């Protein structure tokens, strides 16, 4: 890059700045009217010293959810590709799914019953946004019920059942897709609330 390019922002840079308030997920459901806090506290500031002590707890929980979800998918992929045999696949995935389902239910419960109503009372204008996130939880709970039922069946299946493994894999993929959208939209909405509140 030349000196002049460094010192003089290009038209592209200026355009990027203009659109920098867009939510991060490409298929975000968040409407521009709900982004007034996100504009004040965009993601590049979430970990700065002024805010990290208020925002990092929530983000860390989400990081752990994404990590557990990724590991489950990797184990399932390893079985589907032949890297893991039936015994290895079951020994790796059974307990992890039980733990993941439990932790996700706990997480959604705390949000639905505690945090989300509190945030709506602070910012009534955001009620429709939190309604979307609440519906995500309902859909996620359905998928988690399916995953748990498939996992319970897997626990009883000493004999290899490829069809069951494929069904479980498809459920994991659906959960990954929903979580990616849900967690990202939730962070764009919630992290600025946490960072900007006085407590
Ligand atoms: Fe959530
Ligand atoms: Fe969450």
């Amino acid at each position: 890059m030349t000196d002049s390019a460094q010192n003089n922002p290009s038209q592209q840079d200026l355009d990027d700045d203009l659109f920098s308030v867009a939510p991060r997920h490409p298929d975000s459901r968040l409407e521009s009217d709900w982004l007034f806090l996100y504009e004040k506290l965009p993601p590049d500031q979430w970990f700065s010293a002024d805010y990290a002590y208020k925002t990092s707890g929530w983000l860390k929980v989400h990081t752990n959810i994404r990590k557990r979800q990724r590991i489950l998918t990797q184990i399932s992929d390893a079985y589907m590709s032949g890297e893991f045999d039936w015994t290895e696949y079951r020994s790796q995935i059974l307990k992890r799914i039980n733990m993941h389902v439990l932790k996700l239910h706990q997480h959604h419960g705390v949000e639905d019953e505690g945090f989300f109503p509190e945030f709506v009372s602070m910012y009534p204008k955001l009620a429709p946004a939190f309604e979307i996130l609440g519906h995500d939880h309902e859909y996620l709970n359905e998928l988690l019920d399916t995953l748990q039922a498939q996992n319970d069946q897997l626990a009883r299946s000493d004999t290899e059942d490829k069809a069951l493994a494929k069904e479980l894999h498809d459920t994991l993929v659906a959960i990954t897709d929903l979580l990616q959208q849900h967690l990202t939209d939730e962070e764009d909405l919630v992290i600025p609330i946490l960072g900007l509140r006085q407590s």
Side-chain angles (χ1 to χ4, degrees):
M1 188 186 283
T2 66
D3 282 351
S4 66
Q6 275 173 342
N7 294 333
N8 300 313
S10 67
Q11 191 57 45
Q12 183 61 48
D13 290 335
L14 294 172
D15 288 347
D16 285 346
D17 273 347
L18 271 179
F19 294 106
S20 63
V21 295
R24 290 169 303 153
H25 196 280
D27 300 318
S28 171
R29 287 81 39 92
L30 300 182
E31 295 180 8
S32 52
D33 268 6
W34 305 335
L35 298 175
F36 52 98
L37 298 168
Y38 184 77
E39 288 165 14
K40 279 189 201 157
L41 193 64
D44 61 353
Q45 294 181 46
W46 291 354
F47 286 105
S48 70
D50 287 342
Y51 304 109
Y53 70 100
K54 292 191 267 190
T55 60
S56 60
W58 196 289
L59 291 167
K60 195 170 171 212
V61 171
H62 281 191
T63 298
N64 288 335
I65 290 171
R66 288 184 176 100
K67 187 174 165 192
R68 285 197 302 271
Q69 181 66 25
R70 190 169 57 246
I71 289 170
L72 291 178
T73 308
Q74 285 167 346
I75 295 168
S76 187
D77 282 338
Y79 170 74
M80 303 290 278
S81 69
E83 191 186 328
F84 283 177
D85 65 15
W86 188 245
T87 304
E88 179 73 8
Y89 166 62
R90 288 171 79 231
S91 80
Q92 293 278 347
I93 210 163
L94 285 171
K95 283 184 186 163
R96 283 194 170 94
I97 286 180
N98 288 337
M99 176 64 72
H100 189 47
V101 170
L102 182 73
K103 293 211 166 207
L104 275 173
H105 280 316
Q106 285 173 345
H107 183 64
H108 297 155
V110 169
E111 290 176 345
D112 288 332
E113 283 147 41
F115 285 107
F116 287 2
E118 182 190 344
F119 295 152
V120 170
S121 71
M122 290 166 71
Y123 300 101
K125 189 179 168 181
L126 297 179
F130 282 104
E131 209 169 302
I132 290 172
L133 297 179
H135 284 142
D136 286 349
H137 289 173
E138 287 170 21
Y139 181 35
L140 263 171
N141 285 342
E142 284 174 26
L143 288 171
L144 292 173
D145 285 347
T146 302
L147 183 66
Q148 186 65 62
Q150 289 164 340
N151 200 48
D152 292 345
Q153 198 181 336
L154 185 63
R156 295 189 296 270
S157 302
D158 293 329
T159 315
E160 184 165 27
D161 184 342
K162 287 185 176 171
L164 172 62
K166 173 73 172 75
E167 285 168 18
L168 194 150
H169 186 81
D170 291 345
T171 308
L172 283 175
V173 170
I175 293 174
T176 297
D177 289 345
L178 181 54
L179 277 177
Q180 275 173 353
Q181 190 179 36
H182 174 76
L183 297 176
T184 308
D185 278 351
E186 187 180 294
E187 288 163 359
D188 288 355
L189 202 62
V190 165
I191 299 303
I193 295 177
L194 296 175
L196 294 170
R197 76 174 172 184
Q198 308 295 321
S199 60

CSV table of all heavy atoms in Angstrom, one decimal, residues 62 107-108 111 116 133 137 182-183 186, ligand 1:
chain,number,residue,atom,x,y,z
A,62,HIS,N,-21.3,-17.7,24.9
A,62,HIS,CA,-21.6,-18.0,23.5
A,62,HIS,C,-20.5,-18.7,22.8
A,62,HIS,O,-20.6,-19.6,21.9
A,62,HIS,CB,-22.0,-16.7,22.7
A,62,HIS,CG,-23.4,-16.3,23.0
A,62,HIS,ND1,-24.1,-15.3,22.2
A,62,HIS,CD2,-24.4,-16.7,23.9
A,62,HIS,CE1,-25.3,-15.2,22.7
A,62,HIS,NE2,-25.5,-16.0,23.7
A,107,HIS,N,-29.2,-22.1,29.5
A,107,HIS,CA,-28.9,-20.8,28.9
A,107,HIS,C,-30.2,-20.1,28.4
A,107,HIS,O,-30.4,-18.9,28.8
A,107,HIS,CB,-27.9,-20.9,27.8
A,107,HIS,CG,-27.4,-19.7,27.2
A,107,HIS,ND1,-26.7,-18.7,27.9
A,107,HIS,CD2,-27.6,-19.1,26.0
A,107,HIS,CE1,-26.5,-17.7,27.1
A,107,HIS,NE2,-27.0,-17.9,25.9
A,108,HIS,N,-31.0,-20.8,27.7
A,108,HIS,CA,-32.2,-20.2,27.1
A,108,HIS,C,-33.2,-19.8,28.3
A,108,HIS,O,-33.9,-18.8,28.2
A,108,HIS,CB,-32.9,-21.1,26.2
A,108,HIS,CG,-32.1,-21.4,25.0
A,108,HIS,ND1,-32.3,-22.5,24.2
A,108,HIS,CD2,-31.1,-20.7,24.4
A,108,HIS,CE1,-31.4,-22.5,23.2
A,108,HIS,NE2,-30.7,-21.4,23.3
A,111,GLU,N,-32.2,-16.6,29.9
A,111,GLU,CA,-32.5,-15.5,29.0
A,111,GLU,C,-34.0,-15.2,28.9
A,111,GLU,O,-34.5,-14.1,29.1
A,111,GLU,CB,-32.0,-15.8,27.6
A,111,GLU,CG,-30.5,-15.8,27.5
A,111,GLU,CD,-29.9,-16.1,26.1
A,111,GLU,OE1,-30.7,-16.7,25.3
A,111,GLU,OE2,-28.7,-15.9,25.9
A,116,PHE,N,-34.1,-11.3,29.1
A,116,PHE,CA,-34.9,-10.7,28.0
A,116,PHE,C,-36.0,-9.8,28.5
A,116,PHE,O,-36.1,-8.6,28.1
A,116,PHE,CB,-35.4,-11.7,27.0
A,116,PHE,CG,-34.4,-12.4,26.1
A,116,PHE,CD1,-33.0,-12.0,26.2
A,116,PHE,CD2,-34.7,-13.3,25.2
A,116,PHE,CE1,-32.1,-12.6,25.4
A,116,PHE,CE2,-33.8,-13.9,24.4
A,116,PHE,CZ,-32.5,-13.6,24.5
A,133,LEU,N,-36.0,-13.5,19.0
A,133,LEU,CA,-35.0,-14.3,19.7
A,133,LEU,C,-35.7,-15.4,20.6
A,133,LEU,O,-35.3,-16.5,20.7
A,133,LEU,CB,-34.1,-13.5,20.6
A,133,LEU,CG,-33.2,-12.5,19.9
A,133,LEU,CD1,-32.3,-11.7,20.9
A,133,LEU,CD2,-32.3,-13.2,18.9
A,137,HIS,N,-35.6,-19.6,20.4
A,137,HIS,CA,-35.4,-20.5,21.5
A,137,HIS,C,-36.4,-21.7,21.4
A,137,HIS,O,-36.1,-22.8,21.6
A,137,HIS,CB,-35.6,-19.8,22.8
A,137,HIS,CG,-34.5,-18.9,23.2
A,137,HIS,ND1,-34.5,-18.1,24.3
A,137,HIS,CD2,-33.3,-18.7,22.6
A,137,HIS,CE1,-33.4,-17.4,24.4
A,137,HIS,NE2,-32.6,-17.8,23.3
A,182,HIS,N,-28.8,-17.1,15.4
A,182,HIS,CA,-29.4,-16.7,16.7
A,182,HIS,C,-28.4,-16.0,17.6
A,182,HIS,O,-28.6,-14.9,18.1
A,182,HIS,CB,-30.0,-17.9,17.4
A,182,HIS,CG,-30.5,-17.5,18.8
A,182,HIS,ND1,-31.7,-16.8,19.0
A,182,HIS,CD2,-30.0,-17.8,20.0
A,182,HIS,CE1,-31.8,-16.7,20.3
A,182,HIS,NE2,-30.8,-17.2,21.0
A,183,LEU,N,-27.2,-16.7,17.8
A,183,LEU,CA,-26.2,-16.1,18.7
A,183,LEU,C,-25.7,-14.8,18.2
A,183,LEU,O,-25.5,-13.8,19.0
A,183,LEU,CB,-25.1,-17.1,18.9
A,183,LEU,CG,-25.4,-18.4,19.5
A,183,LEU,CD1,-24.2,-19.3,19.6
A,183,LEU,CD2,-26.0,-18.3,20.9
A,186,GLU,N,-28.4,-12.1,18.6
A,186,GLU,CA,-28.5,-11.8,20.0
A,186,GLU,C,-27.4,-11.0,20.5
A,186,GLU,O,-27.6,-10.0,21.3
A,186,GLU,CB,-28.6,-13.2,20.8
A,186,GLU,CG,-28.9,-13.0,22.3
A,186,GLU,CD,-28.9,-14.3,23.0
A,186,GLU,OE1,-29.8,-15.1,22.7
A,186,GLU,OE2,-28.1,-14.6,23.8
B,1,LIG,FE1,-30.5,-17.0,23.1
